Amino acid sequence: EVHLVESGGGLVQPGRSLRLSCVASGFSLGNYAMHWVRQPPGEGLQWVSGITWNSGRIDYADSVRGRFTISRDNAKNSLYLQMTSLRPEDTALYYCAKDDSGSYWGIDHWGQGTLVTVSS
Amino acid sequence: QSVLTQPPSASGTPGQRVTISCSGGSSNIGGNTVSWHQQLPGSAPKLLIYSNYQRPSGVPDRFSGSKSGTSASLAISGLQSEDEAEYYCVSWDDNVNAYVFGTGTTVTVL
């Protein structure tokens, strides 16, 4: 069974940094593209970033490009999101999500999310 | 980032059929596949439909998807109380090189 567990969320001041992690189990992370998707409180889903199986292609939403960095360690079955220059509008529940293929085909499994709150 | 347009709400009585639309453009739905995700209250999203109309194993056949041109639809037939949830469509957008989600539709069972 596919299992995705996010961690690293918390309360952080504007302008500071935070690193999210996602540990995968039940499948070989190295065979699949992965994504980060966020959901601000009371709002809809927003795709944040995606990375192909071998990190050969990486994409970001306009709202985070230049501030967030996605990465993966297939040997550790882990996905990461380094977030810098955080803004209050980055406050959201951040989901780790598995793609159905090694490149981008579509999300087929979700984690439970980790909450990031950006506030002074 | 561009978004896909969905009606904010839809409702029906148990047993009825409810349809949710998802409107986009040539750079997303018009040229790429559409998926649908269900988010029950207080839970993470779950894949409901992929590749426009395919159902993952375990998803009841009451749920069906379709796509025509730059629009897609999700239909729920034989509506049940456990179908009360938020539903999102999503597609890749070639103009912005990003996945774009729909605005979300809240389904209520009356």
Side-chain angles (χ1 to χ4, degrees):
Chain A
E1 181 186 356
V2 171
H3 209 46
L4 300 167
V5 179
E6 304 92 336
S7 62
L11 174 63
V12 62
Q13 293 180 328
R16 302 298 291 265
S17 300
L18 207 58
R19 189 196 197 206
L20 306 184
S21 299
C22 170
V23 176
S25 60
F27 69 102
S28 179
L29 185 86
N31 290 336
Y32 296 93
M34 297 293 293
H35 306 272
W36 288 99
V37 178
R38 69 185 182 184
Q39 186 168 34
E43 297 186 25
L45 300 172
Q46 301 173 358
W47 181 84
V48 173
S49 182
I51 183 169
T52 54
W53 69 279
N54 62 351
S55 304
R57 176 171 183 166
I58 290 174
D59 294 279
Y60 298 97
D62 287 344
S63 57
V64 307
R65 187 176 292 113
R67 300 187 299 121
F68 291 11
T69 302
I70 191 172
S71 62
R72 61 192 297 158
D73 186 336
N74 291 339
K76 294 184 177 179
N77 256 16
S78 293
L79 176 73
Y80 307 101
L81 186 68
Q82 179 69 47
M83 304 185 294
T84 64
S85 303
L86 282 162
R87 306 166 179 168
E89 55 264 36
D90 294 319
T91 294
L93 186 61
Y94 283 73
Y95 292 104
C96 167
K98 171 187 168 293
D99 201 285
D100 191 33
S101 80
S103 57
Y104 300 157
W105 188 247
I107 291 170
D108 66 353
H109 287 88
W110 300 75
Q112 289 302 306
T114 186
L115 183 62
V116 172
T117 303
V118 184
S119 174
S120 54
Chain B
Q1 217 88 46
S2 60
V3 297
L4 306 177
T5 303
Q6 299 178 232
S9 63
S11 62
T13 57
Q16 276 191 328
R17 176 184 170 93
V18 167
T19 302
I20 301 168
S21 61
C22 174
S23 178
S26 57
S27 62
N28 42 68
I29 294 177
N32 296 290
T33 61
V34 177
S35 299
W36 290 88
H37 297 261
Q38 176 194 57
Q39 188 173 31
L40 297 171
S43 298
K46 168 194 164 186
L47 176 65
L48 208 58
I49 297 287
Y50 67 98
S51 296
N52 304 326
Y53 61 87
Q54 304 277 10
R55 276 188 312 276
S57 60
V59 173
D61 59 8
R62 304 185 291 103
F63 295 93
S64 61
S66 64
K67 178 185 128 173
S68 178
T70 58
S71 294
S73 292
L74 173 72
I76 310 173
S77 59
L79 193 65
Q80 299 182 6
S81 58
E82 57 259 41
D83 299 333
E84 283 206 333
E86 194 77 13
Y87 293 83
Y88 295 93
C89 57
V90 58
S91 183
W92 181 259
D93 191 298
D94 294 321
N95 280 352
V96 296
N97 284 326
Y99 274 112
V100 288
F101 279 91
T103 46
T105 299
T106 303
V107 168
T108 302
V109 181
L110 302 171

